[in-house]
Amino acid sequence: MHDLRKSYGGHDGAPAVEVLRGITLELHAGEFVAIVGSSGSGKSTLMNLLGCLDRPSGGRYLFAGQDVAGMDADALARLRREAFGFVFQGYHLISTESAQENVEMPAIYAGVSPTDRESRARGLLTRLGLGERLGHRPHQLSGGQQQRVSIARALMNGGRIVLADEPTGALDSRSGEEVMALLDEMAAAGHTVILITHDREVARRARRVIEIRDGCIVSDSGRAPAEAPPEPAPSPLPSPSTTTDAADTPRALLSELHEALRAAWRVMWVHRFRTGLTLLGIVIGVASVIVMLAVGTGSQEAVMKQISLFGADKMYVAAIPDSARGRGGKLTLADVDTIRRLPNVRVAMPYIEGFVIARRGNVDHRTEGGGATTDFEQALKWPTARGIFFDENDEQSLAKVAVIGERVQAALFADGTDPVGQRILLDNVPFDVLGVLAAKGAGGGQASEDERVIVPFSTAAARLYGSNYPTWVAVAVHDVDKASETAAEIVEALAAQRHVRDVQVFNQTESIKARAQTQRTMTLMLGLIAAVSLLVGGIGVMNVMLMTVRERTREIGIRMATGARQRDILRQFLVEAVLVTVTGGVAGVVIGLLVGAALIVWNVPVIFSLTAIVGAFCCAVLTGLVFGFMPARKAAALDPVAALSSE
């Protein structure tokens, strides 16, 4: 060190306070040095500069011949990790970690394999008399035992240079003597030991004593005479300029990620009540997205199924009532043939309708009668539930056969008799019932599609209505996407044939598309509303993580002192935020599925979407990344010294 200075304040109106005033000092490998001074003399500040926890305001600090001022944060972290070991007065152990896990921490950031670091940590703790307390947390250890854990941690990566700041200050005399004996052993083994103390009795244990007062060195006993080198000779110090780093290998990164997950889970468990409240927002958000989209999709499917009963690929052609322009108002079978020849038309079925009185025994029932061809089922997608439909022979022979709707069956066969094969009267004309149409439910207005009787078109024209003019023509198309063009072609083709534009086409397909689009919009709105709760949950995660950073500032400082880089701290807190949201996402998916299952039991139309489930879960994870980044970055940017001194 040459003319090393350190000042605090001097900005934002605060007065500048110079703590170190031109320290010039040379320390050598293998020395046991005590820096002694009263409180406020600057000795702890000097230790922070020596251990690269802080940067000087002026002067030069050369480590192994290289100016520390030129190193970035990661290079300083590597130096702390591989060259220094810290023994603090307040122990600075992480409360949620066991003794062994605290000792292993520097090796995690150095990229040491789990097996090697576990073995070394066990060996160090056993050597220091803590072999039976490996799994104990700091609050389960005495002060002397905690300080021994701190010493073991300092030696984990080799501890070539041990910086001990008032290592006996918080201990009783017996524990203090044990700690000093350990420091004597380390010095004898070839470690460079720099002891910071205000106790001159403790300082006398060192081979060189430097006194500091008011930021200046006032005395230095000088280097001790050279002694025989200890055995075995320690490995050389790492060069700060080396670019390769064992902690950057893929294996080391995976190991560190595993440790970050383990530590994050333990923190979540220790603060499980707060974690549960944080998870609640994510759980509600994910479950809401899944349930609302499932209900929306189910409702949409139910509407589409109801509509499809009336034919999603259908359109109806009807004549405009007679007008002063002459001929018009009635469709003909020739018009049906013209429609049938158009390229996109799959089926064109004439239909003649009018009300009839259906009678069986002494029961009269007014219903809608209809004459149709054998294309009825194909054109209207309306099969028979029981029995059969009439065929071409029935059509050609004007057979008196009928297929009845469910409402007609209920009215005429209330006694439970099977209608198939029975005879009924339609306007006093006897008809044999061949089958019963499948139920369709409500139609337009207050009418029911099941309130009808179907007979062959030829029979209806000759025996019921006395006319063979179709009331309307049902048209089924091949390509639904071309339905609008086909409707226009029908109008043009009939206008050319009838010499008057007197027909209109009711395009069922376009109506269905419009309703489907409306339903999709509603489903999207439900999803967006649910996504808002997910956003609120993410804000909750950010608030809790910011509070966590504030609560664990000292832990961050400990991790930095043991060699964690800024990206290591960033990764640690990002992992915690993501773990919270992943846990909440999994719980939200499970709860969403359970709620959906309950709705299904209650006959609510629900269709789960794998895309919605995966999307909601991924959004939860993304929420953790986005809202956890700012607190994690804040944690990574903390100054090691300020973090260690926080309450």
Side-chain angles (χ1 to χ4, degrees), residues 537-550:
I539 294 173
V541 170
M542 181 174 66
N543 289 337
V544 170
M545 291 305 298
L546 283 171
M547 184 168 61
T548 299
V549 169
R550 186 172 182 178

Side-chain angles (χ1 to χ4, degrees), residues 32 343 376 387:
F32 187 2
F376 178 88

Side-chain angles (χ1 to χ4, degrees), residues 97-177:
E97 305 286 279
S98 68
Q100 180 175 326
E101 289 162 348
N102 269 283
V103 173
E104 287 183 21
M105 190 177 303
I108 292 172
Y109 298 122
V112 179
S113 69
T115 304
D116 290 345
R117 65 173 181 255
E118 181 179 340
S119 174
R120 180 164 176 76
R122 285 176 177 272
L124 285 169
L125 287 170
T126 301
R127 193 172 113 203
L128 295 176
L130 296 174
E132 296 180 355
R133 296 185 175 270
L134 301 177
H136 285 57
R137 303 274 178 83
H139 70 274
Q140 297 171 313
L141 302 173
S142 67
Q145 289 170 335
Q146 290 185 59
Q147 194 64 289
R148 276 185 273 171
V149 172
S150 179
I151 291 172
R153 182 180 61 191
L155 297 174
M156 185 63 192
N157 286 348
R160 291 289 299 113
I161 304 171
V162 177
L163 292 167
D165 185 12
E166 301 282 6
T168 63
L171 302 177
D172 56 51
S173 58
R174 179 179 176 183
S175 297
E177 181 59 34

Side-chain angles (χ1 to χ4, degrees), residues 612-631:
I613 293 172
V614 173
F617 180 78
C618 290
C619 283
V621 176
L622 186 62
T623 298
L625 280 172
V626 172
F627 288 96
F629 181 76
M630 188 177 77

Side-chain angles (χ1 to χ4, degrees), residues 13-99:
V17 177
E18 192 172 32
V19 179
L20 295 182
R21 298 183 173 95
I23 298 290
T24 299
L25 183 64
E26 189 172 320
L27 300 175
H28 298 267
E31 283 194 289
F32 187 2
V33 180
I35 300 177
V36 65
S38 60
S39 296
S41 61
K43 60 184 185 300
S44 292
T45 301
L46 179 59
M47 189 205 79
N48 291 333
L49 294 177
L50 286 172
C52 298
L53 291 171
D54 203 357
R55 291 178 182 270
S57 304
R60 299 181 69 200
Y61 172 29
L62 301 182
F63 179 90
Q66 189 169 20
D67 194 342
V68 171
M71 299 182 188
D72 60 15
D74 283 353
L76 292 175
R78 182 173 178 233
L79 202 56
R80 291 193 295 268
R81 182 170 68 242
E82 298 185 3
F84 293 105
F86 295 89
V87 180
F88 299 99
Q89 177 180 0
Y91 321 132
H92 286 340
L93 303 177
I94 297 177
S95 60
T96 57
E97 305 286 279
S98 68

